[in-house]
Amino acid sequence: KAKEVEPVLQLGRSAMAWLCDYAEHFRTGVGKAVNREPQEEDDDDDNDEKTSEFGGSSVALPQDVKREDPAFAALLKQLEHVGKKLVQTLKRNKAMRHVEEAFNEAATSGRTGRLHWLIKFRVDVELTFLQPSPLDLAVEAGHEAVCSMLLAEKKQLKCAKCNSCQPNDHLKKAAMSENVQSARAALLVGADPCAMSAQLAGKRSALMAFAAAGELNIAEG
């Protein structure tokens, strides 16, 4: 049975890759797609086409996309429609694993463009007990923009919540490791620096710990 599902997983991964990258390519008006991972240099000077990776697959993108194109908005709507249909098909075939992994990866690495389209396509992550959610991963990585994006969609997304631990626990961990970015993200998702669960040894608050480390502006903004 697993062998029967694997081709669907692979197809879903490749199709979702193309949709996300093509849609973001159009939305931002970028002249060329840029690889996230460094690639080996290609000796073929005639082939200057860029690719974008998604769970191990690569897809070629056009290079002459213009935001001024009159069909710009219509194309984005069409891509969104196709993306939603693809997700529905993958869900029916219980083949969402690769796409959910990509959602987590986007949250971890701060890829807001890709996350934007995965959310548009109605991708969500089914969480098990204490499994780190995309929001947990974004907080730990210190990606405030991703946290804000997920929180804005919390009515739609089951995974837009802390699941492996609470915001106060994230803040405590950040204070222990003196990770300012993670601490800011934890505060953004609702951590209370005065709460007992966020205190360090000696009943020191997280803010006291950062102040001692010279990070006096952690609570600013």
Side-chain angles (χ1 to χ4, degrees):
K1 197 168 184 179
K3 291 183 178 180
E4 295 176 359
V5 173
E6 188 60 28
V8 180
L9 287 170
Q10 297 293 341
L11 177 61
R13 177 176 64 185
S14 298
M16 191 62 69
W18 192 89
L19 279 173
C20 284
D21 290 333
Y22 189 86
E24 183 61 11
H25 187 61
F26 246 82
R27 187 175 73 94
T28 58
V30 176
K32 291 185 179 180
V34 179
N35 284 334
R36 179 174 56 87
E37 298 291 344
Q39 301 290 320
E40 294 183 3
E41 291 187 8
D42 192 348
D43 294 331
D44 185 3
D45 293 333
D46 294 331
N47 182 15
D48 60 353
E49 201 170 40
K50 300 293 183 179
T51 60
S52 180
E53 294 186 355
F54 187 97
S57 65
S58 297
V59 290
L61 299 180
Q63 299 184 29
D64 301 320
V65 178
K66 303 291 185 182
R67 293 192 69 179
E68 296 78 14
D69 192 314
F72 179 80
L75 177 61
L76 290 184
K77 282 293 184 183
Q78 290 174 4
L79 290 171
E80 183 177 342
H81 175 74
V82 172
K84 289 177 180 178
K85 289 296 183 182
L86 175 58
V87 170
Q88 291 173 4
T89 301
L90 293 174
K91 286 181 178 179
R92 283 198 300 270
N93 287 276
K94 302 185 185 303
M96 285 290 292
R97 176 166 54 87
H98 285 313
V99 179
E100 291 184 5
E101 289 172 355
F103 197 108
N104 285 332
E105 191 278 335
T108 301
S109 58
R111 302 186 71 181
T112 53
R114 173 158 291 173
L115 201 60
H116 169 87
W117 285 105
L118 289 172
I119 293 172
K120 282 279 189 182
F121 297 159
R122 298 293 188 264
V123 175
D124 203 344
V125 178
E126 293 293 333
L127 301 173
T128 58
F129 181 64
L130 295 182
Q131 173 190 342
S133 69
L135 189 60
D136 286 312
L137 298 172
V139 171
E140 291 174 5
H143 296 307
E144 294 181 68
V146 172
C147 292
S148 296
M149 182 178 290
L150 292 172
L151 290 175
E153 301 294 338
K154 62 183 179 181
K155 291 184 178 180
Q156 170 189 320
L157 297 173
K158 298 177 182 177
C159 66
K161 65 179 182 179
C162 290
N163 194 58
S164 62
C165 61
Q166 295 303 309
N168 289 346
D169 299 313
H170 280 301
L171 181 59
K172 183 176 180 178
K173 289 180 182 179
M176 291 174 65
S177 60
E178 298 182 1
N179 188 327
V180 176
Q181 288 75 25
S182 181
R184 288 188 180 280
L187 291 170
L188 180 64
V189 301
D192 180 1
C194 298
M196 291 186 63
S197 57
Q199 290 181 348
L200 283 70
K203 294 186 178 181
R204 292 186 305 149
S205 72
L207 297 185
M208 290 172 62
F210 279 110
E215 298 292 346
L216 301 177
N217 63 343
I218 183 62
E220 291 182 3

